[in-house]
Amino acid sequence: MSNNVLAIYNSLMGENGNSTALVKQFVQDWQHKHPNSEVTSRDLVQNALPHLSLAEMGAWMTPAEQRNEEQQQLAALSDNLIKELLAHDVIVIGMPLYNFGISSQFKAWLDRIARAGVTFKYTETGPVGLVSGKKVYVLAARGGLYQGTDKDTQTKYLQDFFNFIGISEIEFVYAEALAMGDDSKQQALAAAKQQIQQKIA
Ligand SMILES: Cc1cc2nc3c(=O)[nH]c(=O)nc-3n(C[C@H](O)[C@H](O)[C@H](O)COP(=O)(O)O)c2cc1C
């Protein structure tokens, strides 16, 4: 396993996002621990993907050599994102909670990396994930308190999604109560950063 990291940013607030700060902390700690590791950054807000469409799925289902120019461009979106995912063994994801769920930008990324016959396949005994040897870290930033309750729509969803494509090693760090006063925000961010450090150490 290499130590190369795909760092996924996903905050509407950009550089001021709390999840952005957590991912940056992760990358800094990771590079300190693994000085030769390479880090690729992908900002899903700055480089937002369109919603998945029938035309794009049609391009996936058309054999590569038969795709017209538009289909080639459409298929390249997902092809390149999957290639990027497969090229890294560690995926760290900033995960804001927006309106009780993941961001629509992040959903658009998930919609590109779940590809039948490429990242998963269906067999007689059910679906089989085709992505192996990866570890995912999810760094969650939330205004309120959700962890461990059934209002946390992110944890199980992301576990299910990544398990489905073959990634079973997935760890979460939560910074919660970020909108519940400055003290609680500072405490939550400091605790989350400490947890990140511990996970990397
Ligand atoms: C559009 C929007 C919707 C939000 N919805 C929720 C929510 O449903 N529950 C919650 O606890 N916090 C909510 N928040 C607060 C964010 O979870 C919080 O600001 C967190 O820091 C987001 O991550 P970010 O700073 O990396 O963008 C919302 C914030 C925004 C901007």
Side-chain angles (χ1 to χ4, degrees):
M1 182 163 159
S2 79
N3 290 318
N4 294 342
V5 175
L6 175 59
I8 297 187
Y9 296 92
N10 185 24
S11 170
L12 295 176
M13 307 302 165
E15 289 294 310
N16 296 322
N18 293 311
S19 62
T20 306
L22 297 179
V23 175
K24 284 188 185 286
Q25 183 72 48
F26 182 100
V27 167
Q28 190 184 314
D29 291 350
W30 187 268
Q31 288 188 309
H32 186 71
K33 170 97 178 160
H34 306 281
N36 295 323
S37 61
E38 282 175 26
V39 177
T40 305
S41 296
R42 172 159 294 281
D43 189 323
L44 294 174
V45 172
Q46 262 180 33
N47 298 297
L49 296 156
H51 287 158
L52 183 58
S53 67
L54 181 60
E56 193 173 336
M57 289 193 295
W60 298 350
M61 285 179 276
T62 305
E65 64 282 1
Q66 290 171 25
R67 287 176 192 147
N68 62 30
E69 207 169 309
E70 188 200 353
Q71 287 177 318
Q72 285 171 23
Q73 281 175 12
L74 287 172
L77 273 180
S78 156
D79 285 349
N80 290 338
L81 291 170
I82 290 172
K83 208 162 127 190
E84 182 177 71
L85 174 74
L86 297 180
H88 298 84
D89 288 332
V90 176
I91 324 293
V92 59
I93 304 168
M95 187 58 56
L97 182 70
Y98 293 144
N99 297 320
F100 297 94
I102 62 169
S103 72
S104 53
Q105 288 88 346
F106 189 72
K107 179 62 163 58
W109 183 75
L110 294 182
D111 286 340
R112 293 332 191 289
I113 63 166
R115 282 261 303 268
V118 183
T119 55
F120 70 92
K121 64 178 179 185
Y122 278 108
T123 68
E124 284 170 6
T125 51
V128 175
L130 299 175
V131 181
S132 60
K134 312 277 173 223
K135 179 151 189 172
V136 168
Y137 294 88
V138 175
L139 311 181
R142 299 162 172 186
L145 291 164
Y146 297 80
Q147 190 194 345
T149 76
D150 59 9
K151 287 200 169 61
D152 178 356
T153 60
Q154 295 180 326
T155 303
K156 183 160 189 313
Y157 173 74
L158 293 170
Q159 276 164 343
D160 286 345
F161 180 91
F162 286 114
N163 285 346
F164 182 74
I165 63 167
I167 300 174
S168 55
E169 272 197 87
I170 165 160
E171 293 205 38
F172 290 81
V173 172
Y174 303 91
E176 293 201 315
L178 299 178
M180 294 168 65
D182 214 39
D183 282 356
S184 87
K185 176 177 171 177
Q186 295 317 327
Q187 273 175 27
L189 287 175
K193 286 180 179 178
Q194 204 175 4
Q195 275 186 50
I196 289 168
Q197 232 167 22
Q198 285 164 358
K199 285 192 188 291
I200 290 174

